[in-house]
Amino acid sequence: MSQSATAEKDSNPSSSAGQSPGKERELPIRRVSEQIIEIVSDSGEGAQTAGTLFGTVCAKMGNGLWTVEIIPAEIEPPARSRAGASGIRIRFGSEPVGNMGDQADLVVAFNEQVLYSRIDTDALRRGTILLLDDRWASSEDPSTREAFEKALADFHVRGYDVREIPIHAETAKVVDNPRRGKNVWVVGMLCAIYNRDVALAKEEIRQLFERKRKGEKVIETNYRLLEAGHAWAMEHLDMRLDIRSQASDEPRVVMSGNAAIALGTMAAGIEVCSMYPITPATSASHFLAADFHKAGGVIHQAEDEIAAAGFAIGASYAGKTAVTITSGPGMALKTELLGLAVMAEVPLVVVDVQRGGPSTGLPTKVEQGDLLSSLFGQPGDTPNIVIAPSDHQECFEFVITARKLAESFRMPVFVLSDANLATAQACFECPEPSEDWLSPPVDQSEWQEGIPPFDWDAETGLSQRPIPGQPGGQFVLTGLAHDEESHIAYESAINQYAMRMRSHKLAALQKTLKPPAVYGDEEGDLLVVGWGSTRGAIEEAIDRIRADGIRAGALCLRFISPMEPGLSAIFARYRKVMTIEINYSDDPSDSLINDDSRRYSQLAMLLRAGTLTDVDCWSRVPGQPLSPQMIEEALRGRLEALK
Amino acid sequence: MYGLKTDWLEEASPRYYSVQDYEGAPARWCPGCGDHAVLTAVQRLCRDEQLAPEKTVMVSGIGCASRFPHYMKTYGFHGLHGRALPVACGIRSRRPDLHVFVATGDGDCCSIGAGHWIHAIRYNMKMVVMLLDNNVYGLTKNQTSPTSAKGSCTNTHPTGSFLRPLNPIQTTLGVTNASFVAQTVDWNPPHLLATLQAAHAHPGFAFVRIMQRCPHFQPGLFDSAQNDPNELLLLTHTDGIEVEDSIKRVLKNQHEHDPSNLDGARELADREDAIPIGLLYQNGNADRYDQFTALGIATSRDEKMTAIRAELGRYRI
Ligand SMILES: Cc1ncc(C[n+]2csc(CCOP(=O)(O)OP(=O)(O)O)c2C)c(N)n1
Ligand code: SF4
Ligand SMILES: [Mg+2]
């Protein structure tokens, strides 16, 4: 989706855009607390680049930020197709933003057809302002003209505030090929509408194109596109909004969740990231690819996910804690090796950026469908650690935590992110990296005589591992049932004991955890439990129902294996406990479904089993993040039933 | 005790390793199993080369052959069926100081692990890979393997297997970046040892297919090759595997083959009248992926911190 304006015209940009400062209209600026805007286009028109650019400018001006990528299933779907929408949503506001929000306030569309995929996902409301490229009205192709007119009429019926604007025509005044250039023109326009700092936008443009190793000429052209869009909007649009930001001295960073995972990998001192490309996990490795070696690491693109896991386990066995990053189908392939890591107690960080399943499912879309398979996916009893970051900062931090846990507890640690976190850009306080986060140098000292390779502490199951190179530590790691010496267990009692040792590590870890904090009311009518990327939207929904006097709280679980302690006691303080998740569960109101047959969502199933509380659930798999509004409606529905 | 180095100890009293220093648990293979001979040869090699046991790692998959690491007193990794090579590559990736050996079976390598096999050849990371090829699945009790001769009667094909066998030498030679391809037999210990020595000395991925007897499930499989020295074709060349004159006196069926000649190697691999033993192909200059994976290996903690800060700085607002 890289966009750059390569061809430029010789004419003076300001005159060609027909602008002079004198024509700009003085309009009052309206302050709002937040805005949701979208830029949608055919794929390859740079909407995502533009949105990221604009979002970064907002973040730099101190706004809270959350972006959502709108991705078509194909790399190059046909132009002007309903399913081919490519673009980005940008939610920015005075306060920190933790989710995508509800319907958009303003949508910029490069053609009318792609808007329908947004309409289908309920992204627009009555009154949404539509800034639509007018070029299709004068298309040479009568069927295009007709389609455009028809859609316009439909948009009016739907109550959108449609403005036809000359995106293509105005861009063409600056560059030869407006397809590569209108995205930056649009950023200029948005800067005018939202009173953004144009100098900041230029700075971002410079950084963007320098990263792409483009020359000064390309940067200059894009400056002119930005200025042209800005000038045109100042003259022709009657919208002037501003979103104040809270002044803060804390240095912040803005990035996607996958970038945060990549940075966390570096900051954890992990030396090997072994992967096989799979959406939506791959970009984490892209972020690492360029500079990982400067932080002492290497990326191995393996021949498949099985090999990726094997390679990581080999590296880790040799003393270099490794990470393998993948998504659901890759997790399935790694299963057997993950079981080996549990059995043979090899530290390993496994990042699963979840997407829609089962099978190939929805490759680019969000789902939280891998929770149970992470916990129980491997054959036999495989106690492992499962943690789930709920925002970008946690994406960064949890990799560091995971490495430490993997090494201390000598087991694989699964970090469950998802497509929502992976692709969303958001801000967080800039972490201050610490040397303590780095993995320690490989221990090559003499192994103490008489200590077996699995010197299990009889209570906690914890033990220290010998690393190749340590004299006297020689042992043969095996996936077969084994005793403390790692000798194949030929006696029946050994297996029971070894299983207990591996299981107790989780109990030992759980003992160090504190009960989780509740957001909102500490007791009352309703407790909503979630995990992972839904936290922001759940908390926003809780705010809304609490504003109506309902006493409700939200709980976001970061540790799922071992389960965070004290949950039964917390649950007992509410009349109703339910989970909100993005995975499938049966709808209890379906006629076929009854108490015996109802299949619960994944966390709900775990909580019911673990706490013996009648935990209800509401879960959906729309292939997009849950909006606060969807959650709010679900909660109100369930509360209604409670009356 | 991190930081306590053993170097000074070595200087004071250099260690000398005897064969016993490499002997692990007593081998549990069947009597007469060819794996015993390979184990002995590897222990000799380690002794001859004085490989520090703590710096030596035996990696394997699952199968009779893959029990190998248990019978060594080095570090070992007895992993999963078919997955020895990715693990070995992972070990090698950041630990150039370790001597990595892989013991794998014909099912392990050429069937379930075939994908990894092809890619590991291409990665060409330094390690010795021993394919213990008994033409059968031993551990799971007598099923057809990809290398079983056509017509082999096994539990899965009691009336005889249907397909012609896969030729592991030909396959290996066919992979881009193959750098060392040799073949030997378990019943000729001097040739076996000499081949493993050459493999160990090779700067890259050294693939050695070892014809291995399985008297339990394939009795008599190699009897004629064992009894009639003319069924072996000894490859000779100054760049090939150096063998004692005594071997040359017994194995009179010889062929002078320059191991840099890939086409010649392919022709030899296809010979059906005799089993060529010796070095079929070697290229000491093939690209080595372990040079790529070792990138940044010496990065100091300070340099790491600087890089992490710089990276975070790119996202600063
Ligand atoms: C995933 C998986 N599938 C199947 C098996 C069962 N299995 C164990 S060893 C083996 C074949 C062994 O044959 P080979 O690799 O030739 O070794 P050999 O026993 O002949 O030395 C099989 C199929 C397994 N352990 N794991
Ligand atoms: S079954 Fe065959 S390969 Fe396995 S130990 Fe016995 S003789 Fe050796
Ligand atoms: Mg076999």
Side-chain angles (χ1 to χ4, degrees), chain A residues 336, chain B residues 62-65 81 105-108 112 134 136-140 212:
Chain A
E336 195 191 6
Chain B
I62 295 289
C64 291
H81 192 34
D106 39 316
D108 203 54
I112 190 169
N134 55 3
V136 75
Y137 284 13
L139 192 72
T140 45
Q212 177 234 318

Side-chain angles (χ1 to χ4, degrees), chain A residues 56 59-60 211 251-255 259 263 266-267 269 271-272 287 291 293-304 306-307 310-311 313-315 317-318 320 336-337 340 396 427 430-435 438-446 466-471 473-480 486 488 490, chain B residues 1-6 9 15 21 25 28 52-58 62 67 69-81 83 86-95 97-98 112 115-117 119-120 123 125 289 292-297 299 301-305 307-309 311-317:
Chain A
T56 310
K60 287 204 166 168
R211 266 204 301 279
R252 295 187 310 156
V253 283
V254 60
M255 64 180 81
L263 281 167
M266 276 190 178
E271 275 187 42
V272 173
F287 291 113
D291 293 322
H293 63 279
K294 290 188 193 149
V298 69
I299 289 205
H300 170 56
Q301 180 180 332
E303 60 269 27
D304 58 36
I306 300 177
F311 193 97
I313 287 173
Y317 163 78
K320 313 277 188 172
E336 195 191 6
L337 277 154
L340 173 68
F396 175 85
C427 322
C430 183
E432 184 45 54
S434 153
E435 230 187 283
L438 298 178
S439 46
V442 177
D443 189 349
Q444 295 289 275
S445 64
E446 191 123 16
I467 290 169
Q470 286 194 277
Q474 290 95 297
F475 78 107
V476 180
L477 176 147
T478 178
L480 285 159
S486 199
I488 299 171
Y490 292 105
Chain B
M1 269 176 292
Y2 169 70
L4 182 61
K5 292 267 173 15
T6 49
L9 275 175
R15 290 182 288 176
D21 287 318
R28 284 178 173 245
E54 72 271 14
K55 292 279 194 185
T56 307
V57 188
M58 302 295 311
I62 295 289
R67 290 285 174 122
H70 289 280
Y71 310 141
M72 297 284 295
K73 217 194 221 131
T74 60
Y75 279 91
F77 193 112
H78 177 209
L80 294 184
H81 192 34
R83 317 302 170 200
V87 170
C89 292
I91 293 170
R92 179 74 213 172
S93 67
R94 304 293 282 182
R95 293 295 304 272
D97 56 318
L98 299 176
I112 190 169
H116 308 313
W117 174 32
H119 289 278
Y123 297 150
M125 302 170 93
Y289 185 59
F292 170 82
T293 59
L295 265 181
I297 208 164
T299 314
R301 293 173 85 74
D302 280 349
E303 286 167 335
K304 287 184 185 183
M305 294 308 292
I308 294 159
R309 289 207 177 90
E311 200 63 17
L312 275 169
R314 287 182 40 194
Y315 297 91
R316 273 288 289 278
I317 50 175

Side-chain angles (χ1 to χ4, degrees), chain A residues 168-195:
Chain A
H168 185 91
E170 288 296 325
T171 308
K173 292 178 182 170
V174 189
V175 290
D176 281 334
N177 178 8
R179 208 178 127 77
R180 295 167 75 73
K182 53 186 170 182
N183 61 338
V184 174
W185 188 91
V186 164
V187 174
M189 173 182 76
L190 291 171
C191 286
I193 297 175
Y194 293 105
N195 200 27

